[in-house]
């Protein structure tokens, strides 16, 4: 039997496609991600079937008897006559023998891979297919007895998070984006001399420890930037953006509402994502600050300023 139809060969193909899928997701090419993710599931499903019995990957056609005997190692077939099951049928067979359970999200991912469900490059639908991909691959690897980290390697932690239902979606998304930005940054230095990455991180622009004026809102209240410490993705210098949250008679209260790294382009925006970033074991240098007006505002002046900023 052709070695390309062995369980080991299918497993290698699944791993290659899965890593391509994660790279495409990091580049926000979600249609390509869905395609490669579907290929990964199909190949890994065939790896599990072939590990149980090689004939389980045979496609039922007119020459099905010859195909079964070929997979059994007793008949030779021309390469163009060798046909194996597609993703949908492979999943159905694994469901019949109890390896997989019914999963509408997995069905949708395979539909996207087959072109039966449309997913444009900016499709939120395709972007959200990380969880069914991670969940299905973990189940199939467990059946094969293959360690998760041996398959996912540098993608192991974010893919574990993707199936952790104890964490909310925003946290999982931020964790994944940290890893994606890290890998994209590291990949830029693959073919460069040793130490290139470290020199770039050292020589790059570093925000000062102070606070920099950015812009003024319509109310006349300014927005500030300040150093955010080391980026959790690349270790480079980052920047926090502070938005006004409360006006008082003596000053303006600010809260960090954005995080940006110019080195690896990792960024988060909004209070939910900032909360997820803090939770991801990446404490920020400053969470909030207060800027004084100088002279105390009268109640009327304070009310007028609040009305203007509303």
């Amino acid at each position: 039997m052709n070695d390309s139809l062995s369980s080991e060969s299918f497993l290698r193909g699944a791993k290659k496609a899965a890593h391509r899928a994660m790279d495409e997701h990091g580049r926000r090419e979600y249609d390509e991600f869905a395609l490669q993710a579907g290929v990964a599931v199909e190949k890994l499903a065939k790896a599990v079937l072939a590990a149980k019995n090689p004939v389980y990957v045979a496609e039922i056609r007119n020459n099905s008897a010859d195909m079964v005997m070929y997979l059994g190692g007793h008949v030779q077939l021309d390469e163009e006559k060798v046909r194996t099951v597609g993703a949908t049928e492979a999943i159905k067979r694994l469901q019949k023998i109890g390896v997989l359970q019914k999963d509408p999200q997995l069905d949708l991912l395979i539909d996207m891979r087959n072109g039966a469900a449309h997913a444009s490059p900016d499709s939120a639908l395709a972007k959200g297919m990380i969880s069914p991909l991670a969940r299905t691959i973990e189940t199939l690897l467990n059946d094969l007895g293959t360690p998760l980290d041996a398959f996912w390697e540098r993608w192991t932690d974010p893919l574990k998070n993707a199936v952790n239902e104890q964490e909310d979606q925003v946290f999982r998304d931020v964790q994944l984006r940290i890893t994606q930005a890290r890998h994209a940054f590291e990949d830029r230095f693959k073919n460069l001399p040793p130490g290139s990455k470290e020199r770039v991180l050292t020589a790059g622009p570093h925000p000062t420890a102070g606070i920099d004026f950015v812009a003024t809102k319509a109310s006349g209240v300014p927005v500030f930037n300040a150093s955010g410490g080391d980026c959790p993705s690349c270790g480079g210098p980052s920047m926090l953006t502070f938005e006004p949250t409360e006006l008082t008679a003596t000053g303006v209260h600010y809260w960090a509402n954005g995080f940006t790294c110019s080195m690896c382009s990792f960024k988060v925006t909004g209070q939910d994502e900032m909360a997820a970033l803090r939770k991801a074991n990446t404490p920020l240098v400053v969470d909030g600050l207060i800027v004084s007006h100088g002279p105390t505002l009268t109640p009327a002046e304070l009310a007028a300023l609040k009305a203007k900023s509303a």
Side-chain angles (χ1 to χ4, degrees):
M1 183 182 70
N2 189 331
D3 180 64
S4 66
L5 300 177
S6 68
S7 177
E8 293 76 15
S9 179
F10 284 129
L11 177 59
R12 288 193 297 271
K15 179 177 178 179
K16 187 175 182 179
H19 283 240
R20 283 179 177 172
M22 296 308 299
D23 289 337
E24 296 293 355
H25 196 282
R27 289 190 283 266
R28 296 178 175 83
E29 295 290 344
Y30 299 126
D31 57 341
E32 290 298 322
F33 158 73
L35 173 62
Q36 293 297 332
V39 171
V41 170
E42 177 180 347
K43 289 184 177 293
L44 193 54
K46 290 180 182 179
V48 174
L49 290 171
K52 296 186 179 302
N53 193 318
V55 302
Y56 287 174
V57 300
E59 186 179 58
I60 306 302
R61 284 193 175 186
N62 293 335
N63 67 338
S64 59
D66 290 344
M67 183 65 182
V68 168
M69 287 187 285
Y70 169 74
L71 291 170
H74 296 94
V75 169
Q76 294 298 315
L77 284 180
D78 293 335
E79 188 173 332
E80 64 270 14
K81 293 183 178 180
V82 175
R83 296 287 185 272
T84 60
V85 292
T88 300
E89 180 59 29
I91 290 169
K92 286 181 180 178
R93 293 183 184 186
L94 289 173
Q95 289 171 344
K96 287 180 180 178
I97 60 179
V99 174
L100 291 177
Q101 303 298 317
K102 289 285 187 179
D103 186 342
Q105 281 196 303
L106 175 58
D107 293 341
L108 179 57
L109 174 60
I110 299 305
D111 284 344
M112 289 181 180
R113 177 252 192 272
N114 294 336
H118 178 67
S120 62
D122 60 346
S123 170
L125 188 64
K127 178 183 178 181
M129 291 293 104
I130 286 281
S131 290
L133 171 66
R135 183 168 59 243
T136 303
I137 283 184
E138 182 174 356
T139 300
L140 295 177
L141 289 177
N142 287 340
D143 193 83
L144 283 173
T146 301
L148 200 65
D149 57 354
F151 183 89
W152 281 120
E153 296 179 349
R154 66 180 189 173
W155 291 110
T156 301
D157 287 341
L159 268 298
K160 284 182 178 178
N161 289 331
V163 295
N164 182 2
E165 299 300 335
Q166 300 301 314
E167 300 291 357
D168 63 55
Q169 183 58 47
V170 175
F171 177 79
R172 286 181 284 174
D173 183 56
V174 168
Q175 284 283 70
L176 175 61
R177 283 155 49 197
I178 289 173
T179 304
Q180 288 172 331
R182 178 184 304 128
H183 294 339
F185 182 74
E186 291 174 348
D187 288 347
R188 287 160 50 187
F189 301 92
K190 276 185 176 179
N191 299 317
L192 296 180
S196 296
K197 181 178 72 173
E198 289 71 20
R199 285 193 291 273
V200 167
L201 288 172
T202 302
H206 286 249
T208 63
I211 297 173
D212 297 325
F213 170 79
V214 178
T216 302
K217 298 178 75 68
S219 62
V221 178
V223 175
F224 294 102
N225 274 348
S227 171
D230 294 341
C231 172
S233 291
C234 68
S238 65
M239 186 75 74
L240 287 169
T241 299
F242 290 87
E243 295 273 356
T245 58
E246 182 184 358
L247 299 174
T248 69
T250 56
V252 183
H253 291 245
Y254 287 83
W255 192 253
N257 198 49
F259 179 97
T260 306
C261 175
S262 61
M263 292 288 185
C264 66
S265 299
F266 172 70
K267 66 182 296 183
V268 298
T269 305
Q271 290 302 312
D272 289 346
E273 291 193 354
M274 289 296 293
L277 183 62
R278 294 186 187 94
K279 185 177 179 181
N281 296 316
T282 53
L284 308 178
V285 174
V286 181
D287 285 340
L289 53 88
I290 300 175
V291 177
S292 174
H293 292 307
T296 302
L297 297 178
T298 66
E301 291 171 329
L302 178 60
L305 184 58
K306 286 185 175 181
K308 187 177 180 182
S309 64

